[in-house]
Amino acid sequence: MSEWTWEYDGYDPAAERLRESLCTLGNGYFATRGAVPECRAGLVHYPATYVAGVYNRLESTVAGRQVVNEDLVNLPNWLLLRFRLRSADGGVGPWFSPDVRQPLDHRHTLDLRRATLTRTFWFRNGEAGVLSVQQIRLVHMGDPHLAALRTVFTTEEWSGEIEVESVLDGDVMNSNVHRYRSLNRNHLAHVRTGTANDDTAWLRCRTSASHVGIGMAARTVAVGRPPTSSQLRPSRRRAAHRLVLPIAPGRPAVVEKTMALHTSRDLAISDPLEAALDRVTAAPGFSALLDSHVAAWARLWRRADVQVPGEAGRVLRLHLFHVLQTLSPHTAELDVGVPARGLHGEAYRGHVFWDELFVLPYLNLHLPEVSRALLNYRHRRLPQACRAAHAAGRAGAMYPWQSGSDGREESQQLHLNPRSGRWLPDNSRLQHHVGSAIAYNVWQYCEATGDTEYLHTKGAEMLLQIARFWADGAQLDPQLGRYRIRGVVGPDEYHDSYPEAARPGLDDNAYTNVTAAWVLSRALDLARGMPAWRREELFERIELDSGELAKWEDVSRRLLVPFHRGVISQFDGYGDLAELDWDAYRARYDSIRRLDRILEAEGDTVNRYQASKQADVLMLGYLFSPTELRGLFRRLGHDLDDEVWRRTVDYYLRRTSHGSTLSGVVHAWVLARVRQAEAWQYCQEALEQDVADLQGGTTGEGVHLGAMAGTLDLVQRGLTGLETREDALRLDPVPLPALSAYGFSLRYRGHWGVGVRLQSGQLRIGIPDSEESPVRLVLTDRTVTIAPGETRTLPLPEN
C-alpha cells in the first residue's frame, strides 16, 4: 500500500459491506458501491447505484401506524457481470460465485489518485486449471453520466471458451439497512428493457411516486478477438447480453462494459433513455475513458489535496476522496444538499441534516462554487421553511431537521431500537438549531469568498428569515429579565424531553440559544451594512418591518444561557439530572456509544441522566474561535473566561458516550486549544470512525460524510486557527506533537493554489502569481501583506 492506495486482501463475507462502502466510486452526480460484479444483493453483498437528489416517497405500516418515508433510491444495477467456463465438448460449468468457489489471492485495490477500483483473483477449475481474473472499474469524473468496467480473463494451460453475461438489473429494492426491513422498499416502477445495435442493452423505469424517469444503456464488447457468439436477451426487468469468448494461453479474453445513466431531472435532455443511448454510443473505449477520467481527477486533486505525513495522511486523503466523490464540481449544476451518508448507502434514507456545517467550511476554500450550489439547495426550500414556521405559529423560516427532495420535514415519526425491538417516538424534528447552521454556512461562505452579491440577495433572505424565526420564538421571562427558547432538542440528541414530562422538548439549550443570538447579531450587521436600496428592496420582498430589528437587538443581548456549578448547562435543568454510573455500564457492555438504546432496552431512559451522545455545549468551541465566543457571551452579559470554558470542557468530557461520528471531530478541535495532550486521541478516533467502523456496522450503510469532511477541516482550520474574517486570512496555530508538519493548498478570493505549510514552529505561505490584490495575513502578534508571486516564511509565536 502507498499513500494513494488502499488494499483489501482476501475474501471475508462478514466484511464485504464495509469494504463496499469504502470502495464506492462516484463523481458527484452518481455513485456505485464497490460490490463484486457477479453478485446480486443479499445478506453478504449489496451492489447499489445512487443518483444525487433522486428520492421517492412510500407509505408503510409500522407498529400499527401508517407512516410515510422518503428515501434516496437504489437504481437498477448496471454493474452485474458474471461468467462461467465452457468445455471443449460443449459442457457448461456453473456461474462463478465467491460464496461458492473460494477465490484465491483475492485483492481489491482502491487507487485514490486515479479513482479506480481494481480486483484481482484466481481459482482452479478442474480440467481448465488456473483462471486469473482482473477487473477495473471507474465512475467517470469528466463525464458524470458514464461508468465502465473492464474484465480480463487469463489462463496458463487451457484453451476453451468463457461465457460472460452482462446485465442491467431492474429487479432491485432498497435493502441496505436491516433496521428498515419492515418498511416498503420497492421504489421502481414501469421497468422496461430492450436492445440497440448489436452490442447495447437498455433499461427504462421511473420512481413510483416522485415519477423521476431513469434511462440506462450498457454497451458490452469483446476486445481483441471477436466473440464466438453474442446474444442480447431483454426480459421483463433485466436486460442481459451474453457473449461467448475464446481463451487460450497467451491470448486472454477481454470484455469492456460501458454504461450511461440519465434521469428526467437532468438539464438539456428531452428523454433520459434517448440521452443514455446517445451517450453510450458516442463513448470511446475503456482506455480512452480511463485517460480522460484520470486527467479530470488530476485537475481536482490540484485544487483540494492535503499533505499530512504517515497513516493520518493516508486516512485524510481517503476522506477527501469520498467527499469529492459526493460533492464534486458537477454538484454545482445540481439541486442537491449534503447527504449525511454520502452516495454510499441508505442509512438516514439519504437525507440532508446539518452535516453541511462540517462540510462547507472545507469546500469554501477549495470548491466555492459547490458551496454556493449547496446553499442554493437551502434557498430554493426557503418558501417551504417559511410555510413550516407559519404552520407552527411562528414567523420567519423553520428549516427541517431532515430534508430531501422538496424541503418538507422528513424526520421519521418512529424509530426502531434494535436492542429492544421496540418502535419509539422520534422527536429529532425539534432540532431547530439546523436553521442556525444554515445561517452560519451562508456567513462563512461569503466571508471566505467575498461574494457580496450572494450575501445581499439569497444569503440575506435566508439569514434574515432565520433570525426572524428565533426572535419570534423567544419568550421574555419577566422574573429573569431574559428571553427563553422552549421546546427544542439540542445537538446531543439523547435528551428530547424532561423526565416524566408529558410533552417533548427542552428549554434553553445553550447551543441553540447562543447560536440564535449569533444569527440575530449577524442579521443586524447585514441589514445595517447593506446599501439602502438593497435593504429596502429586500425588506419589501420578505415583508420585513424595520421595527422588528429593535426586538432582534434586544433578544440577541438577553437570551438566557443557563449555568450550574460554574459550567455552562447543556439546557435548563441539566444539572438536576441524575449521575450515571459510567464505570458500571462500561463493564457491563462492550460499547456504550449508543447509551440511549441500552437504557431503553433496560426499561430506563437517558433523559434521566447527565449523559450526552456527542458534543452539545462544546459545539460552540467548534464553531467560534475563543475570541469570537468570548464576544458572544459578553454580548449576552456573561464573562466567559478561560477557566470557565476549561471547566465546561472537562465536565462534558466525563459525561459523553461519543455515539456519533462527529463527536471525535468536535472534541479534537476543542481540546487542541484546551488540553493538547488529549487532542490527538480524539483526532485518531475521528480518523478511524469509518475505516475501522468504530460505530459497529454502520459504515456498511454509508460513510459518515460530515465526520470525513470534519477531519479535513480540523487540519485546515482547527489546528491552524484559520479564519476568513474582515477581508483577511487569520491564523493562530496550535502545536500538536503528533502532527509536527503538515500543509495544504486553498483558494482564497481570487487566489487559486495558496500554499500553507506549518513545520518546526514556522508558517510558510505562498501566493501564486496573478493580477489579484495582495493577501492580508493576520497572526496573533503581527499583520503582514503578501503579494501575488511571493512566498513568506514566518516564525510562529510561542504559546
Side-chain angles (χ1 to χ4, degrees):
M1 276 191 289
S2 74
E3 61 178 323
W4 285 95
T5 60
W6 286 76
E7 294 179 354
Y8 300 85
D9 289 328
Y11 178 69
D12 179 4
E16 269 297 276
R17 292 213 173 185
L18 170 62
R19 187 198 59 75
E20 289 173 358
S21 283
L22 294 174
C23 291
T24 294
L25 297 180
N27 58 25
Y29 175 78
F30 81 96
T32 296
R33 285 170 58 87
V36 295
E38 65 271 13
C39 293
R40 302 182 71 217
L43 294 176
V44 175
H45 310 281
Y46 194 71
T49 291
Y50 309 100
V51 170
V54 174
Y55 293 95
N56 192 57
R57 199 179 305 278
L58 292 176
E59 187 175 275
S60 306
T61 302
V62 175
R65 293 173 56 181
Q66 294 300 111
V67 299
V68 176
N69 289 298
E70 185 177 67
D71 292 79
L72 185 69
V73 178
N74 177 22
L75 298 189
N77 178 18
W78 71 269
L79 188 64
L80 186 56
L81 187 141
R82 58 182 183 163
F83 64 91
R84 59 186 177 183
L85 304 184
R86 296 167 65 102
S87 62
D89 60 6
V92 178
W95 295 107
F96 172 78
S97 169
D99 301 311
V100 175
R101 186 185 297 274
Q102 182 75 20
L104 302 174
D105 292 336
H106 193 258
R107 170 176 291 178
H108 281 91
T109 301
L110 180 65
D111 186 330
L112 306 183
R113 191 192 299 274
R114 295 161 58 87
T116 57
L117 179 63
T118 300
R119 177 197 188 200
T120 56
F121 66 94
W122 61 271
F123 67 95
R124 187 176 298 278
N125 186 64
E127 66 178 55
V130 173
L131 182 76
S132 299
V133 182
Q134 181 194 62
Q135 295 178 306
I136 180 170
R137 74 182 74 167
L138 61 87
V139 173
H140 206 280
M141 184 56 79
D143 186 330
H145 300 280
L146 289 178
L149 169 69
R150 185 174 194 260
T151 305
V152 180
F153 303 97
T154 305
T155 181
E156 297 177 0
E157 53 195 36
W158 174 75
S159 296
E161 294 179 325
I162 291 182
E163 183 176 353
V164 174
E165 183 180 64
S166 171
V167 181
L168 294 177
D169 185 7
D171 190 17
V172 300
M173 65 173 65
N174 277 42
S175 56
N176 176 231
V177 181
H178 188 64
R179 297 183 302 282
Y180 303 163
R181 65 191 181 279
S182 61
L183 303 176
N184 191 345
R185 296 173 290 165
N186 295 293
H187 291 279
L188 300 180
H190 301 286
V191 179
R192 300 288 184 271
T193 64
T195 64
N197 304 322
D198 58 358
D199 59 8
T200 301
W202 57 259
L203 183 150
R204 177 202 294 274
C205 62
R206 67 171 174 81
T207 54
S208 61
S210 56
H211 306 296
V212 176
I214 298 148
M216 272 186 182
R219 182 187 71 206
T220 307
V221 297
V223 178
R225 302 169 69 188
T228 56
S229 74
S230 174
Q231 293 182 320
L232 289 159
R233 297 182 174 185
S235 62
R236 182 169 171 267
R237 298 182 71 87
R238 302 170 81 224
H241 184 182
R242 285 196 183 179
L243 303 93
V244 178
L245 311 172
I247 186 171
R251 304 185 71 182
V254 181
V255 178
E256 293 181 359
K257 181 177 186 178
T258 306
M259 187 277 302
L261 168 61
H262 278 275
T263 81
S264 57
R265 286 168 47 90
D266 296 344
L267 302 176
I269 67 167
S270 61
D271 177 79
L273 178 57
E274 289 180 8
L277 285 167
D278 289 346
R279 193 170 293 270
V280 82
T281 300
F286 186 88
S287 294
L289 282 174
L290 178 61
D291 287 345
S292 57
H293 168 70
V294 170
W297 266 98
R299 292 189 294 272
L300 195 50
W301 282 121
R302 284 197 294 270
R303 295 177 66 178
D305 195 19
V306 60
Q307 300 94 40
V308 173
E311 186 65 13
R314 289 187 70 245
V315 177
L316 282 166
R317 189 166 281 124
L318 177 70
H319 286 183
L320 178 54
F321 177 71
H322 285 299
V323 170
L324 294 176
Q325 291 196 118
T326 307
L327 304 167
S328 80
H330 300 299
T331 306
E333 304 299 321
L334 304 177
D335 176 34
V336 296
V338 177
R341 305 301 284 271
L343 298 174
H344 298 62
E346 293 159 18
Y348 303 159
R349 301 182 176 84
H351 290 169
V352 177
F353 293 70
W354 71 329
D355 296 73
E356 66 226 56
L357 188 64
F358 299 86
V359 176
L360 262 65
Y362 182 81
L363 293 180
N364 290 341
L365 295 171
H366 299 276
L367 298 168
E369 68 276 13
V370 176
S371 292
R372 182 173 176 142
L374 296 170
L375 292 173
N376 283 341
Y377 168 86
R378 294 296 194 178
H379 182 261
R380 291 186 191 100
R381 287 150 185 81
L382 178 60
Q384 178 71 28
C386 291
R387 289 193 292 273
H390 180 74
R394 302 275 287 273
M398 184 174 76
Y399 276 96
W401 174 238
Q402 296 188 34
S403 181
S405 61
D406 61 10
R408 77 182 78 175
E409 178 61 77
E410 300 293 354
S411 296
Q412 57 196 3
Q413 299 169 21
L414 300 171
H415 69 268
L416 176 69
N417 181 356
R419 279 189 175 272
S420 67
R422 287 188 284 267
W423 287 90
L424 307 166
D426 190 313
N427 298 311
S428 59
R429 66 189 60 228
L430 297 177
Q431 292 191 70
H432 300 316
H433 62 81
V434 67
S436 295
I438 294 167
Y440 182 89
N441 287 329
V442 168
W443 194 264
Q444 287 290 320
Y445 163 77
C446 295
E447 286 278 346
T449 62
D451 193 346
T452 306
E453 177 67 21
Y454 195 87
L455 180 63
H456 288 172
T457 53
K458 294 177 180 179
E461 289 182 25
M462 289 186 280
L463 190 58
L464 268 60
Q465 292 287 27
I466 294 165
R468 207 176 198 178
F469 174 79
W470 287 129
D472 185 62
Q475 304 168 5
L476 181 62
D477 185 324
Q479 291 184 319
L480 296 176
R482 291 278 182 177
Y483 288 93
R484 310 189 67 181
I485 296 177
R486 301 180 183 273
V488 301
V489 171
D492 160 43
E493 293 188 313
Y494 272 177
H495 297 88
D496 62 1
S497 70
Y498 289 101
E500 315 301 332
R503 299 180 65 180
L506 304 161
D507 298 337
D508 300 310
N509 172 258
Y511 173 84
T512 299
N513 285 15
V514 173
T515 55
W518 179 88
V519 171
L520 288 162
S521 61
R522 292 290 76 76
L524 287 165
D525 291 344
L526 176 58
R528 292 164 179 165
M530 293 173 70
W533 67 270
R534 277 197 183 275
R535 180 170 58 250
E536 292 168 8
E537 185 180 85
L538 175 62
F539 282 23
E540 179 181 340
R541 188 164 61 250
I542 67 175
E543 299 180 350
L544 178 66
D545 188 325
S546 59
E548 293 184 44
L549 302 188
K551 184 179 180 183
W552 294 11
E553 179 75 36
D554 194 36
V555 174
S556 73
R557 295 182 179 279
R558 289 206 288 159
L559 269 168
L560 176 66
V561 180
F563 285 79
H564 71 277
R565 295 197 287 279
V567 302
I568 305 166
S569 297
Q570 185 168 304
F571 52 83
D572 185 42
Y574 183 88
D576 298 329
L577 300 179
E579 291 283 9
L580 185 78
D581 189 342
W582 290 87
D583 291 339
Y585 274 88
R586 289 190 177 100
R588 196 181 313 167
Y589 295 95
D590 292 337
S591 171
I592 60 168
R593 291 182 185 273
R594 290 310 304 266
L595 190 60
D596 56 333
R597 292 175 175 174
I598 290 172
L599 289 168
E600 192 279 330
E602 292 181 349
D604 204 345
T605 173
V606 74
N607 283 323
R608 295 182 54 233
Y609 299 99
Q610 295 184 45
S612 300
K613 175 184 176 185
Q614 58 188 319
D616 193 301
V617 172
L618 301 193
M619 270 295 300
L620 295 172
Y622 179 82
L623 293 188
F624 306 115
S625 69
T627 300
E628 191 171 8
L629 190 57
R630 281 194 296 271
L632 265 173
F633 271 75
R634 189 160 51 247
R635 182 184 181 92
L636 289 164
H638 300 284
D639 182 15
L640 183 65
D641 59 26
D642 290 345
E643 183 55 35
V644 172
W645 182 245
R646 286 177 187 274
R647 281 201 307 268
T648 299
V649 170
D650 291 343
Y651 188 87
Y652 289 103
L653 273 176
R654 296 193 298 270
R655 293 165 174 81
T656 302
S657 70
H658 305 291
S660 165
T661 56
L662 296 172
S663 195
V665 171
V666 177
H667 283 88
W669 187 296
V670 171
L671 287 173
R673 300 203 171 265
V674 177
R675 284 160 50 179
Q676 294 170 14
E678 294 181 35
W680 186 244
Q681 169 194 337
Y682 288 96
C683 286
Q684 289 181 302
E685 180 169 310
L687 290 169
E688 293 173 2
Q689 282 291 346
D690 275 326
V691 295
D693 199 11
L694 294 185
Q695 297 290 332
T698 64
T699 303
E701 303 167 349
V703 299
H704 299 83
L705 202 71
M708 284 186 163
T711 60
L712 297 165
D713 200 35
L714 176 62
V715 173
Q716 177 177 270
R717 293 192 309 139
L719 300 184
T720 64
L722 174 63
E723 295 181 273
T724 52
R725 283 195 294 114
E726 299 166 357
D727 297 318
L729 279 177
R730 299 170 180 270
L731 288 104
D732 180 16
V734 290
L736 280 187
L739 195 61
S740 57
Y742 58 93
F744 50 85
S745 63
L746 53 85
R747 177 177 167 186
Y748 176 65
R749 304 293 172 92
H751 300 280
W752 292 55
V754 175
V756 178
R757 182 160 186 83
L758 289 97
Q759 184 173 10
S760 304
Q762 291 185 321
L763 166 67
R764 185 173 184 267
I765 184 164
I767 310 298
D769 194 17
S770 72
E771 298 300 317
E772 297 291 329
S773 302
V775 173
R776 192 163 64 96
L777 180 68
V778 179
L779 302 177
T780 56
D781 61 343
R782 83 203 93 154
T783 297
V784 298
T785 300
I786 306 177
E790 185 181 1
T791 297
R792 297 281 298 274
T793 299
L794 305 168
L796 295 172
E798 295 185 6
N799 287 344

